[in-house]
């Protein structure tokens, strides 16, 4: 399926875990566990289809508002995910990158994240960006503060310059943004970077969003005409 119309960068909002669990008659954490199990399969499939960058919205700045027990489970789930999947990611030559402020994560979770960053740092086949304690508006505020702190002349600031202060510095903007789960909104995700991204919404909940569903999204993308405001 890989061709010239394959997106270099795909971003996915991992939505629907809780509702998936409810449909199974289970607690929300059961959905998060199964959603995490889906991540590597989709990542490898994306790599095999020619995708170079995969950005996953895992935990937002707003998710801290959830019940403390659920947040605690998610933080521990991330540790288990890294410990169980890191060898597979290494075998697939996948590099992990983090978007967001991980300083607010529990120490054990932060240490696991740093282990993953260090171990995969030289891999090159697929760059997996995990948005963790991430919010699009928070990212822009963070960038503005750093620009001011660096004493940058306003005349030197343009769109590319701002991009260089975002968490995605050096990463091309997403070509395709996918949201499983049936919701039709962006939810504060990459709001600067997706100005001209193609959007694809699916009713399939994330734990059920398999390789075939990703292929549907990629095929839809391949059939679109991206004009960037021009006339084709």
């Amino acid at each position: 399926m890989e061709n010239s119309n394959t997106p270099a960068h795909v971003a996915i909002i991992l939505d629907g875990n809780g509702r998936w669990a409810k449909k199974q008659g289970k607690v929300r954490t059961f959905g998060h566990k199964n959603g995490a199990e889906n991540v590597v399969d989709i990542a490898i499939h994306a790599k095999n289809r020619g995708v170079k960058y995969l950005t996953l919205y895992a935990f937002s700045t707003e998710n801290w508002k959830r019940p403390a027990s659920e947040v605690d489970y998610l933080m521990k789930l991330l540790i288990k995910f890294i410990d169980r999947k890191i060898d597979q990611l290494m075998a697939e030559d996948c590099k992990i990158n983090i978007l967001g402020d991980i300083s607010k994560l529990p120490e054990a979770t932060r240490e696991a994240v740093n282990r993953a960053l260090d171990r995969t740092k030289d891999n090159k086949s697929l760059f997996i960006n995990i948005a963790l304690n991430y919010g699009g508006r928070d990212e822009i505020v963070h960038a503005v503060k750093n620009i001011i702190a660096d004493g940058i002349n306003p005349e030197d600031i343009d769109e590319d310059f701002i991009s260089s202060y975002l968490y995605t510095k050096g990463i091309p903007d997403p070509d395709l943004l996918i949201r499983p789960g049936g919701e039709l909104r962006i939810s504060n995700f990459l709001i600067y970077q997706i100005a001209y991204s193609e959007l694809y919404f699916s009713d399939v909940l994330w734990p059920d969003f398999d390789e075939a569903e990703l292929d549907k999204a990629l095929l839809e993308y391949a059939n679109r005409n991206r004009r960037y405001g021009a006339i084709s």
Side-chain angles (χ1 to χ4, degrees):
M1 181 176 169
E2 180 183 347
N3 56 44
S4 60
N5 290 325
T6 298
H9 185 175
V10 174
I12 307 178
I13 298 173
L14 310 183
D15 191 32
N17 292 335
R19 281 170 286 147
W20 183 88
K22 185 177 180 180
K23 288 177 65 175
Q24 315 296 319
K26 305 286 188 179
V27 295
R28 288 177 57 83
T29 51
F30 181 75
H32 293 311
K33 179 178 182 295
N34 281 271
E37 288 296 318
N38 197 31
V39 166
V40 173
D41 290 342
I42 290 297
I44 293 173
H45 192 67
K47 178 176 79 83
N48 291 338
R49 288 294 185 257
V51 175
K52 190 68 175 178
Y53 300 88
L54 181 67
T55 299
L56 307 173
Y57 203 9
F59 190 87
S60 75
T61 50
E62 290 74 36
N63 286 157
W64 295 107
K65 301 173 185 176
R66 294 185 177 184
S69 58
E70 183 174 344
V71 172
D72 181 63
Y73 179 87
L74 289 169
M75 294 298 111
K76 292 176 179 175
L77 180 62
L78 181 58
I79 298 172
K80 292 179 181 178
F81 172 82
I82 291 171
D83 289 342
R84 292 179 59 243
K85 301 294 187 179
I86 193 67
D87 288 342
Q88 188 177 6
L89 292 173
M90 287 296 297
E92 295 289 340
D93 196 35
C94 298
K95 178 178 180 178
I96 298 293
N97 183 44
I98 299 296
L99 311 182
D101 180 10
I102 66 170
S103 68
K104 294 182 173 62
L105 302 182
E107 183 178 0
T109 305
R110 195 167 60 248
E111 289 175 351
V113 168
N114 285 327
R115 286 198 303 272
L117 293 174
D118 183 66
R119 189 165 174 203
T120 65
K121 63 184 179 182
D122 296 324
N123 294 344
K124 293 180 173 59
S125 293
L126 178 69
F127 298 89
I128 303 176
N129 307 306
I130 302 176
L132 195 57
N133 190 29
Y134 173 89
R137 289 183 174 181
D138 181 73
E139 177 181 34
I140 293 171
V141 169
H142 179 266
V144 170
K145 286 181 176 179
N146 284 335
I147 289 171
I148 292 171
D150 288 345
I152 304 301
N153 186 329
E155 297 301 320
D156 294 330
I157 299 174
D158 58 16
E159 292 182 11
D160 290 338
F161 185 87
I162 291 174
S163 293
S164 73
Y165 273 79
L166 299 177
Y167 291 124
T168 51
K169 175 182 178 181
I171 300 170
D173 291 340
D175 300 294
L176 173 64
L177 171 65
I178 300 171
R179 180 163 191 159
E183 302 290 357
L184 304 177
R185 55 178 175 267
I186 303 305
S187 296
N188 199 21
F189 185 43
L190 301 176
I191 55 179
Y192 190 89
Q193 296 90 334
I194 62 169
Y196 278 103
S197 301
E198 294 296 315
L199 307 182
Y200 179 88
F201 297 96
S202 169
D203 290 330
V204 177
L205 303 175
W206 171 246
D208 288 331
F209 193 89
D210 58 13
E211 290 92 338
E213 292 298 327
L214 179 60
D215 283 345
K216 288 180 185 178
L218 296 178
L219 181 60
E220 171 73 18
Y221 173 87
N223 288 327
R224 293 187 187 180
N225 181 16
R226 303 183 73 191
R227 296 187 296 274
Y228 300 96
I231 298 175
S232 59

